[in-house]
């Protein structure tokens, strides 16, 4: 860029080096892990509720083994992500969180979130595609996490 000026009020005031910028990136990765975990939780809870209420052949679809298998996998993903972000928070509180920890947390939780949301959409069938459903919203949110997947893994 030539003749490009950034007004002082638009600059990061305490950012004097890339090291300062890296601290911001570490914090961002850390928080994205929480966002992805919350997104996966919402997708699981929405799918579970739907499977308990949706009747097929006179009983809830949640009573069928294939549906139960997907719900169990979704719960496992969500629980594993919760464990990951809680441990990341502990490391942050102790002042021991590294860039690698934050990147690993982001990479793991966003991958599990994408998988969980895909299964939720599968369980909801056509309802999973409606813009008003939680899974559809979650799916659109996931597009925010996807572009940095390869770059995040480079940090690990």
């Amino acid at each position: 860029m030539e003749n490009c000026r950034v007004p002082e009020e638009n600059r990061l005031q305490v950012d004097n080096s890339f090291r300062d910028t890296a601290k911001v990136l570490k914090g961002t990765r850390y928080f994205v892990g929480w966002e992805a975990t919350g997104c996966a939780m919402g997708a699981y809870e929405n799918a579970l509720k739907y499977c308990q209420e949706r009747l097929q052949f006179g009983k809830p679809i949640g009573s069928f083994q294939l549906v139960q298998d997907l719900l169990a996998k979704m719960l496992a993903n969500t629980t594993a992500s919760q464990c990951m972000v809680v441990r990341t928070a502990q490391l942050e509180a102790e002042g021991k969180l590294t860039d690698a920890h934050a990147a690993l947390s982001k990479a793991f939780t966003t991958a599990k979130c994408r998988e969980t949301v895909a299964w939720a959409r599968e369980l909801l069938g056509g309802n999973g595609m409606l813009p008003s459903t939680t899974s559809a919203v979650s799916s659109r949110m996931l597009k925010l996490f996807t572009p940095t997947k390869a770059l995040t893994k480079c940090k690990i």
Side-chain angles (χ1 to χ4, degrees), residues 4-142:
C4 179
R5 298 187 43 117
V6 177
E8 186 63 29
E9 65 270 7
N10 293 341
R11 293 183 63 224
L12 291 174
Q13 299 304 309
V14 293
D15 194 17
N16 298 315
S17 67
F18 183 75
R19 187 173 303 225
D20 294 330
T21 304
K23 289 178 188 175
V24 173
L25 292 174
K26 179 171 65 172
T28 302
R29 287 185 187 108
Y30 167 67
F31 288 116
V32 167
W34 283 100
E35 290 175 296
T37 301
C39 183
M41 289 171 61
Y44 167 73
E45 291 167 2
N46 191 43
L48 177 62
K49 182 176 185 275
Y50 179 81
C51 290
Q52 291 169 337
E53 295 173 354
R54 172 77 164 92
L55 299 179
Q56 187 67 38
F57 307 113
K59 55 186 179 179
I61 64 170
S63 66
F64 299 113
Q65 287 181 333
L66 290 175
V67 171
Q68 291 172 356
D69 180 59
L70 284 181
L71 289 169
K73 289 176 184 177
M74 292 169 68
L75 182 58
N77 279 355
T78 302
T79 302
S81 293
Q82 289 170 331
C83 292
M84 176 72 79
V85 294
V86 166
R87 181 60 183 141
T88 306
Q90 290 170 340
L91 291 170
E92 174 70 15
E94 296 167 2
K96 297 178 181 177
L97 183 66
T98 65
D99 291 339
H101 291 135
L104 179 63
S105 179
K106 176 187 174 187
F108 179 82
T109 58
T110 56
K112 295 303 171 189
C113 180
R114 284 190 300 275
E115 189 173 62
T116 300
V117 168
W119 286 331
R121 291 183 70 185
E122 184 177 328
L123 289 173
L124 270 66
N127 290 324
M129 302 301 284
L130 295 174
S132 61
T133 63
T134 304
S135 290
V137 172
S138 298
S139 176
R140 286 191 295 274
M141 275 194 62
L142 287 177

